[in-house]
Amino acid sequence: MVQFYSPNRRSVNRGIISVTADNLDAQGQGIARHQGKTIFIQGLLPGEQAQIQLTEEKRQFAKAKVVKRLSDSQHRVDPHCPHFKVCGGCQQQHVATELQVNTKASVLEHLIQRETGIGISAHPIIHSPEYGYRRRARLGLQYHAKQRTLLMGFRQSQTNDLVNIKHCPVMHSELEQLLQPLHQCLNSLNAVKRLGHVELVLADNGPLAVLRHLDSLKHEDKEILRTFSVQHNVAIYLLGDEKSLEPLMEGQPAPWYQVGGLKLIFSPQDFIQVNDEVNQQMVAQALAWLDLQPTDRVLDLFCGMGNFTLPIATKVQAAVGVEGVAALVASGQYNARINELNNVDFFHENLESDIHQQPWAAQGFNKVLLDPARAGAAGVMTHIVKLAPEKVVYVSCNPTTLARDSKVLLEAGYHLVSVRMLDMFPHTGHLESMALFSSEPMDIE
């Protein structure tokens, strides 16, 4: 048999070795060193000694699993969730909150230092409740033919298999309480084998569920859902395909949430921040950093449905939001009208294309906020510099692209004034942050 050499193929030493973790990464993996190589070990905390077995080995690092833990860290806690070790939703419920947030803040500080050369603290941290913080969750649905039952839950770590979720303590209690009765309801439908997913959302005016079904629902199934809706006070929406969202019953009130003293109505399919408490603090911090004045003209890029734009508009001469998703732009425009904000405009534009010919780009702004997706905002950074705003607030869900994009502002003479770590998703590896840049030197907070 012919064998081909692969330079990337490396044998893994399957022997047992003993290590002591000396650090933690943002994903909750312990970091240890052995014979000059860095090893990432899922489930091991700083200070803990363990016998481990390598599962993956590269030239510069390796990954390993714990065979036997020989000591316990003072930061090790009991997970609240019975599904913790199998569900892929949370990775760090075994880690004390203080260590989680301080580790993420340190990772953020390290990335900024490495990319920009600036040493800056990510404290004070914007904290979240430890549990009950999620107001939105999408659960997969899968009919198990052998067991003749519906599985409803999240994916297992590194697989496509569903974990049948009965409890989820990171979900808001109003949503968690729906899990078991909702499962029973969906399992009783004639269409149980042809369901895709269900999304639970907690609006300020009550919970709602969006059910993705692959075939048209028959009358008796709709009656079962109507009974569940009334009994549990849940507004139900049916999603036959990705564009055909319909309320189950006429007269269902539109969902809404409050931010910055405003009431924002949204479609169940609109993006809203999962963690309401952190969102409130984040918006308040952004407005304080911008130091908004009645004469300001403020630009909000990647604005969504106006989570920042509309509160900003209550304090300035003019606010402009630019967003690539048409439905979110329509929601922003609608909410501007119902909140009687006549000084705000929304533009539906692709911010990853040539922005210089877009209609908003010719306007003048003295302050800018941007909240891009994980890929960052490379396509708009030079235009922000061209606008020469006094202040720029960058909200980020990816510290790597935040650090990268920061260099454009710093090279243009801007000063990095302050950084915050946002604990938007406790017990997970997600790291949210925000940074303030100023055209003039300011005292670092």
Side-chain angles (χ1 to χ4, degrees):
M1 181 177 68
V2 177
Q3 293 185 343
F4 295 94
Y5 170 72
S6 171
N8 295 321
R9 186 181 298 159
R10 300 180 63 83
S11 61
V12 177
N13 179 4
R14 297 294 182 181
I16 306 299
I17 59 178
S18 293
V19 298
T20 301
D22 58 20
N23 211 335
L24 196 71
D25 73 358
Q27 304 301 316
Q29 299 179 113
I31 303 173
R33 273 86 183 172
H34 182 73
Q35 297 181 347
K37 180 170 288 187
T38 299
I39 305 176
F40 296 94
I41 310 143
Q42 189 66 46
L44 200 63
L45 302 185
E48 292 183 337
Q49 186 180 13
Q51 293 176 342
I52 65 170
Q53 185 176 52
L54 300 187
T55 57
E56 181 180 345
E57 190 168 9
K58 303 290 186 182
R59 189 177 301 277
Q60 300 297 331
F61 70 92
K63 294 183 178 181
K65 64 180 181 181
V66 173
V67 176
K68 183 179 181 180
R69 193 171 67 248
L70 304 175
S71 63
D72 286 342
S73 165
Q74 63 179 346
H75 297 292
R76 180 173 290 278
V77 297
D78 292 331
H80 283 209
C81 182
H83 308 291
F84 171 64
K85 290 190 176 180
V86 289
C87 177
C90 296
Q91 302 84 42
Q92 300 188 35
Q93 286 193 23
H94 65 299
V95 185
T97 298
E98 181 182 10
L99 180 58
Q100 288 186 41
V101 296
N102 287 334
T103 296
K104 291 180 182 180
S106 295
V107 168
L108 176 60
E109 293 164 2
H110 170 75
L111 284 170
I112 291 175
Q113 170 78 40
R114 187 185 70 186
E115 294 295 319
T116 69
I118 297 174
I120 192 168
S121 172
H123 293 73
I125 292 165
I126 293 181
H127 287 279
S128 165
E130 288 187 58
Y131 290 94
Y133 66 84
R134 288 196 70 101
R135 65 175 172 185
R136 186 170 209 142
R138 176 179 286 196
L139 299 131
L141 299 174
Q142 187 178 82
Y143 186 75
H144 196 289
K146 289 185 179 180
Q147 297 180 10
R148 296 184 179 181
T149 190
L150 180 72
L151 300 180
M152 184 179 84
F154 303 118
R155 304 291 176 190
Q156 290 186 29
S157 179
Q158 300 180 339
T159 78
N160 287 323
D161 297 331
L162 283 183
V163 179
N164 202 39
I165 296 294
K166 295 183 178 179
H167 302 281
C168 182
V170 299
M171 291 172 62
H172 194 286
S173 60
E174 284 191 54
L175 298 183
E176 187 188 22
Q177 291 168 9
L178 291 173
L179 289 177
Q180 295 193 52
L182 177 60
H183 177 265
Q184 293 170 2
C185 171
L186 298 181
N187 197 43
S188 69
L189 299 180
N190 294 313
V192 63
K193 298 179 182 180
R194 298 290 293 164
L195 303 178
H197 64 259
V198 63
E199 189 159 12
L200 293 175
V201 183
L202 183 63
D204 283 9
N205 56 329
L208 63 96
V210 178
L211 178 62
R212 175 77 170 98
H213 54 97
L214 305 180
D215 296 331
S216 297
L217 295 181
K218 295 181 178 179
H219 174 75
E220 50 264 44
D221 279 352
K222 289 184 178 181
E223 285 302 308
I224 292 172
L225 291 170
R226 287 189 183 99
T227 299
F228 178 86
S229 174
V230 173
Q231 287 180 343
H232 296 276
N233 194 29
V234 180
I236 295 179
Y237 294 80
L238 302 178
L239 189 61
D241 61 51
E242 295 301 329
K243 296 181 180 179
S244 64
L245 185 72
E246 297 179 358
L248 176 66
M249 296 189 289
E250 293 183 5
Q252 290 182 175
W256 54 268
Y257 74 94
Q258 290 183 308
V259 65
L262 302 174
K263 178 179 176 180
L264 272 59
I265 292 173
F266 63 95
S267 163
Q269 290 181 290
D270 284 349
F271 170 81
I272 63 170
Q273 291 289 353
V274 162
N275 191 321
D276 178 58
E277 187 159 329
V278 171
N279 184 54
Q280 301 290 339
Q281 296 178 72
M282 176 178 69
V283 172
Q285 181 66 81
L287 270 59
W289 273 355
L290 288 170
D291 187 24
L292 299 172
Q293 303 299 322
T295 56
D296 286 340
R297 292 181 52 82
V298 184
L299 174 66
D300 181 7
L301 298 173
F302 311 94
C303 68
M305 57 176 282
N307 186 60
F308 291 100
T309 326
L310 297 170
I312 286 171
T314 65
K315 300 178 181 297
V316 301
Q317 180 186 65
V320 168
V322 187
E323 167 59 43
V325 179
L328 293 176
V329 171
S331 291
Q333 292 168 333
Y334 178 74
N335 281 300
R337 289 195 298 272
I338 66 171
N339 284 284
E340 298 181 345
L341 295 170
N342 301 316
N343 62 335
V344 57
D345 290 315
F346 287 90
F347 292 87
H348 174 217
E349 299 289 348
N350 180 4
L351 290 172
E352 295 179 357
S353 65
D354 181 9
I355 64 173
H356 301 291
Q357 302 303 315
Q358 295 178 9
W360 63 269
Q363 300 183 32
F365 304 95
N366 66 316
K367 292 173 183 176
V368 173
L369 183 143
L370 64 159
D371 184 8
R374 290 190 60 79
V380 302
M381 297 310 296
T382 55
H383 192 78
I384 290 175
V385 170
K386 182 180 176 182
L387 291 171
E390 302 161 21
K391 290 183 172 65
V392 177
V393 171
Y394 190 131
V395 180
S396 170
C397 61
N398 184 348
T400 301
T401 49
L402 167 63
R404 179 202 69 195
D405 294 342
S406 295
K407 291 192 287 187
V408 179
L409 294 173
L410 296 170
E411 290 167 0
Y414 280 82
H415 304 268
L416 178 56
V417 177
S418 193
V419 174
R420 291 282 186 277
M421 201 289 284
L422 313 174
D423 193 22
M424 185 74 78
F425 299 98
H427 311 301
T428 76
H430 295 292
L431 200 169
E432 306 270 329
S433 57
M434 56 195 300
L436 169 64
F437 300 86
S438 173
S439 61
E440 299 293 335
M442 296 176 62
D443 292 334
I444 294 179
E445 297 183 19

